[in-house]
Amino acid sequence: MKTKSFKYQFILFLLLFISYSESGYSQFFVETNLGLNGAINPKMYNFSHTGFGVGYMYNGLIGVKIDYAKDNFSNTNGFSNSKRADVQLVANLSNVIFDKSYYDSFFVLAHAGMGMSSLKPSSANTSDTNINFMMGITPKYKIIGGLDLTVDASLIMNTNQNYNFDGSPTYQDLAVPQIGYIFNLSVGLLYRFIDRR
């Protein structure tokens, strides 16, 4: 019941966000992406990353976004499902270096922030919840007015994992929980709401 309520609240927030954006502010954006995910320990690679986000850019230079992502990991030892939600600062590096890039088709964004991660291992009936920190870089290319093609590379650090990404408990190898590292390499689309003023 709690999960359904959260989903409805998020959908309502997204609709209000888009409705407000349509009122004439070009700084708002929505994005979606999919691609490769991987874990560093143990080394695992899968094409199962999906994510989406909503954000606001202030003056074309700096902004904030809220994003959600899901990653699945598997190898011969087992599997796990990871979900995360983050709040991140976004900086337009192109505009920091070259003011004229505001009018160009190619931009490079950097993003960093923190949030919560949930890892569901195959070896347990519970989820391992962690605080995460992340950072990444996103080159984007304007396809048409308001619509950009993106490529994103991100690194996520879970601070206190009790399970490895293959589902095995970390305490089999270590006496205490460990830091878990995930990376994503994805392609996606970013839509900027056109200024109607």
Side-chain angles (χ1 to χ4, degrees):
M1 186 71 181
K2 231 176 181 183
T3 306
K4 283 185 178 178
S5 174
F6 175 76
K7 284 181 183 175
Y8 292 136
Q9 289 172 2
F10 184 80
I11 290 169
L12 179 61
F13 169 78
L14 192 58
L15 290 173
L16 289 172
F17 184 87
I18 291 171
S19 160
Y20 181 65
S21 302
E22 289 288 2
S23 68
Y25 292 86
S26 63
Q27 298 91 346
F28 288 96
F29 66 87
V30 293
E31 63 179 355
T32 184
N33 55 71
L34 54 90
L36 173 73
N37 57 15
I40 295 175
N41 184 25
K43 289 182 181 177
M44 304 170 73
Y45 308 95
N46 296 277
F47 282 94
S48 65
H49 170 78
T50 56
F52 66 90
V54 293
Y56 174 83
M57 290 298 292
Y58 176 74
N59 200 23
L61 184 62
I62 195 163
V64 65
K65 73 173 179 176
I66 301 169
D67 69 313
Y68 171 85
K70 183 177 179 181
D71 297 283
N72 299 321
F73 301 94
S74 64
N75 63 14
T76 54
N77 297 325
F79 65 88
S80 66
N81 301 315
S82 174
K83 297 176 183 177
R84 64 170 176 80
D86 296 277
V87 177
Q88 300 187 65
L89 290 175
V90 182
N92 188 334
L93 298 183
S94 300
N95 280 0
V96 170
I97 301 168
F98 304 108
D99 288 340
K100 285 180 70 175
S101 69
Y102 186 82
Y103 307 100
D104 293 340
S105 297
F106 181 76
F107 300 85
V108 178
L109 304 177
H111 56 92
M114 65 180 294
M116 296 296 294
S117 295
S118 175
L119 185 71
K120 178 70 175 72
S122 57
S123 61
N125 292 322
T126 186
S127 292
D128 191 12
T129 303
N130 295 279
I131 294 173
N132 72 57
F133 296 92
M134 70 172 299
M135 60 182 176
I137 191 162
T138 311
K140 65 187 185 80
Y141 180 79
K142 183 172 74 175
I143 302 172
I144 56 173
L147 183 64
D148 302 328
L149 175 68
T150 64
V151 177
D152 180 78
S154 294
L155 178 68
I156 301 97
M157 179 184 72
N158 291 331
T159 56
N160 193 32
Q161 282 189 195
N162 293 296
Y163 294 90
N164 295 309
F165 294 103
D166 62 3
S168 62
T170 59
Y171 56 76
Q172 285 182 350
D173 304 315
L174 300 171
V176 293
Q178 67 182 27
I179 295 174
Y181 294 95
I182 299 173
F183 67 85
N184 295 139
L185 183 59
S186 59
V187 294
L189 294 172
L190 183 148
Y191 181 76
R192 293 171 288 110
F193 293 94
I194 302 299
D195 194 338
R196 305 180 192 282
R197 289 172 293 179

